[in-house]
Amino acid sequence: MSQQQKKCLVSACLTGLCTRYDGQSKGNPACQLQIADYFWIPVCPEQLGGLPTPRSAAVLVNGDGQDVLAGIAQVRDQNGNDVSAAFIRGAAMVLTIAKAHSIECCFLKSGSPSCGLDPHPGVTAALLLAHGIEVVSF
C-alpha cells in the first residue's frame, strides 16, 4: 500500500466472500469497481458479533439501527430470537477496526439490518455515521 492510497472498509459480502446470512456469495461488481483504488478491509458485522454463517435472516423491529443502539428497538431473526446484542457487538468491532486504521469511508450492503443505509440505517451504519464516518450503500 502506498502512503497516498486511501483506505476503506467494505461489507465482506460485497467483495464476493460467503458471509451473507444464507452463506451465499453475491459480490457486487459496482462496489468492487468503486473500491479498486482503495486499500480495502472486508468486514462482516454479524460474524464479528458472533453469529454463524449461515444464520437466520434478521430484521429491525420497532425502529432503525439508531434505535437499536439506544435500546428502544431490536434486531430479531426469522425465528423471533432477539439478536440485537450480536449486532451491537459486531457494529462496535467494525467501529474499532475503522478507528484503528483511520478509516473515513465505508462501503456497506444495502438492505441489511447491520449495514443498510436506506431508507433507515442499520446498526453498523448508524454507529459509523454517529462517529463521523461516511457510509456509502451498495
Side-chain angles (χ1 to χ4, degrees), residues 51-101:
L51 295 174
T53 300
R55 58 192 165 272
S56 294
V59 295
L60 295 165
V61 177
N62 297 325
D64 61 15
Q66 294 167 340
D67 297 325
V68 172
L69 292 168
I72 57 175
Q74 301 85 37
V75 184
R76 293 202 175 270
D77 70 15
Q78 64 189 16
N79 300 314
N81 299 310
D82 185 348
V83 291
S84 303
F87 274 69
I88 292 168
R89 189 170 42 252
M93 294 191 77
V94 171
L95 179 62
T96 298
I97 294 167
K99 286 182 172 185
H101 292 280

Side-chain angles (χ1 to χ4, degrees), residues 5 25 42-43 50 54 62 66 75 89 92 99 109 115 128 130 132 138:
Q5 190 174 22
S25 172
V43 294
N62 297 325
Q66 294 167 340
V75 184
R89 189 170 42 252
K99 286 182 172 185
K109 173 72 176 86
C115 298
L128 294 171
F138 277 92

